[in-house]
Amino acid sequence: MTEEAQDRPYSKALNQLRDAGLRPTRQRLALAKLLFDRGDRHVTAEILHEEAVASGAYVSLATVYNTLHQFTDVGLLREVVVDSGCAYFDTNITDHYHFFYEEDSRLEDVPSEMVTIHNLPQPPAGNDISRVDVVIRVRSSNGA
Amino acid sequence: MTEEAQDRPYSKALNQLRDAGLRPTRQRLALAKLLFDRGDRHVTAEILHEEAVASGAYVSLATVYNTLHQFTDVGLLREVVVDSGCAYFDTNITDHYHFFYEEDSRLEDVPSEMVTIHNLPQPPAGNDISRVDVVIRVRSSNGA
DNA sequence: ATTTGTGCAAATCGTTTGCATCTGA
DNA sequence: TCAGATGCAAACGATTTGCACAAAT
């Protein structure tokens, strides 16, 4: 990491992209900044696109989709499946689980240390576990 | 339950529908039979539609979708979310988890007794856990 | 007879793709 | 320069909806 990494506005995102082997284009930098500068986030393509447009970055929705998948492919993001019909991307790529607030379709991280899973069954011979997803679905107590 | 419940071809499905408060139409009976007569199943709308057509029941795909959701609403089915972009329905409505074979997009039940989850975190006050989904994603060991 | 469900086709939604243009290395 | 990225619009697949018709009570 170079010395100016800490003080240039886009340098953090820039280094992330360089390290991942992705060419740091204007659009990728803008999206990386929105994604990674504010701590852990859970975004959909649509949300991120709105934010990008609102921030003055002219990125098309198609590019947002492509970029989210590229970031996921290189390990900068993780896709979380909680809803058939809407893909969520999580900037927290460490091992962890999720609360899913069904009423407002919102995700929240649950550190993996907070849940203890024992006796996880082995998959049939010839298979490996690639990931264990735990989603704790939550609704407000007093009716919808 | 009436005496003839056990020996008429559609009586099992018929009672399930009656008990659920759904009018036992020809289409619902045919779908219920396909779903519930063969033990635990994980189906997509498309698969079930193909099966229905193959079995000579002329049910439209739209009706299959509607019916799957009606069955889910009355608790005869459970929706399993493993893939944004494709809804799976599980005839096993008891508490259990899933293996998901990523290569062939196939689901397999994991009895809840086979997994021990401790220290499940409480959701923020005012919220209740409606369900805990555990999906063990599996890939074959020797590369894709 | 009345209510409820069905079929179809068209509408919708999220997502992906093809291709001409643009841009970073 | 030139491989690789973007933008747009059109294609796409899964799902839903509107409405005229049909079937169950």
Side-chain angles (χ1 to χ4, degrees), chain A residues 24 26 46 62 65-66 69 85-87:
Chain A
R26 193 179 335 106
E46 204 164 339
Y65 274 106
N66 292 335
H69 285 125
C86 187

Side-chain angles (χ1 to χ4, degrees), chain B residues 27-69:
Chain B
Q27 292 81 341
R28 285 182 181 158
L29 281 170
L31 296 179
K33 204 166 152 54
L34 288 170
L35 286 169
F36 303 118
D37 276 7
R38 294 198 226 163
D40 293 338
R41 304 207 60 197
H42 303 94
V43 301
T44 62
E46 202 163 338
I47 295 284
L48 185 60
H49 181 241
E50 282 167 15
E51 290 184 4
V53 169
S55 78
Y58 296 102
V59 182
S60 74
L61 182 56
T63 296
V64 171
Y65 273 106
N66 292 336
T67 304
L68 284 171
H69 284 126

Side-chain angles (χ1 to χ4, degrees), chain B residues 18 22 24 49 61-62 69 116 123 130:
Chain B
R18 281 219 185 98
L22 289 176
H49 181 241
L61 182 56
H69 284 126
T116 314
S130 66

Side-chain angles (χ1 to χ4, degrees), chain A residues 15 53 74 138:
Chain A
N15 285 315
V53 169
V74 299
V138 165

Side-chain angles (χ1 to χ4, degrees), chain A residues 12 16 31-43 48 51 76-77 89-93 96 109:
Chain A
K12 183 178 160 197
Q16 277 173 303
L31 296 177
K33 204 165 153 52
L34 288 169
L35 286 168
F36 304 117
D37 276 6
R38 295 199 226 162
D40 293 339
R41 305 205 60 195
H42 303 93
V43 300
L48 185 60
E51 290 184 3
L76 290 173
L77 288 176
F89 295 86
D90 188 346
T91 61
N92 179 352
I93 53 173
H96 69 288
D109 284 352

